[in-house]
């Protein structure tokens, strides 16, 4: 996971952006990967960042989908 701190926008106040990359992202630099955008990233990955302390654990579902092809 990579975090971009204080990402600027013309439309909303600057905020952190979390980017989850597939496990093979760095080892396959020429491969094109599909993209999934999720607007409520504070609840997607890490319980410590969540508004109510419960994360959706999106990365687990994504890893399972990738493994399943």
């Amino acid at each position: 996971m990579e975090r971009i701190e204080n990402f600027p926008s013309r439309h909303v106040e600057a905020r952190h952006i979390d980017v989850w990359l597939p496990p093979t992202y760095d080892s396959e630099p020429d491969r094109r990967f599909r993209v999934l955008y999720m607007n409520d990233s504070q609840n997607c990955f890490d319980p410590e960042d969540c508004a109510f302390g419960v994360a959706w654990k999106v990365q687990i579902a994504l890893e399972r989908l990738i493994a399943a092809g």
Side-chain angles (χ1 to χ4, degrees), residues 8 15 29 35 37-40 43 45 51 54-55 59 65-68:
R15 58 191 63 206
V35 176
Y37 295 95
M38 299 187 75
N39 292 327
D40 195 0
N43 293 317
F45 304 110
V54 178
Q59 71 277 21
L65 290 168
I66 289 168

Side-chain angles (χ1 to χ4, degrees), residues 17-55:
I17 304 291
D18 293 325
V19 180
W20 178 85
L21 300 171
T24 59
Y25 186 81
D26 289 328
S27 63
E28 298 182 60
D30 296 327
R31 181 175 171 192
R32 295 178 63 97
F33 292 86
R34 295 177 189 245
V35 176
L36 172 67
Y37 295 95
M38 299 187 75
N39 292 327
D40 195 0
S41 65
Q42 76 180 26
N43 293 317
C44 290
F45 304 110
D46 188 355
E48 291 182 21
D49 292 333
C50 294
F52 301 103
V54 178

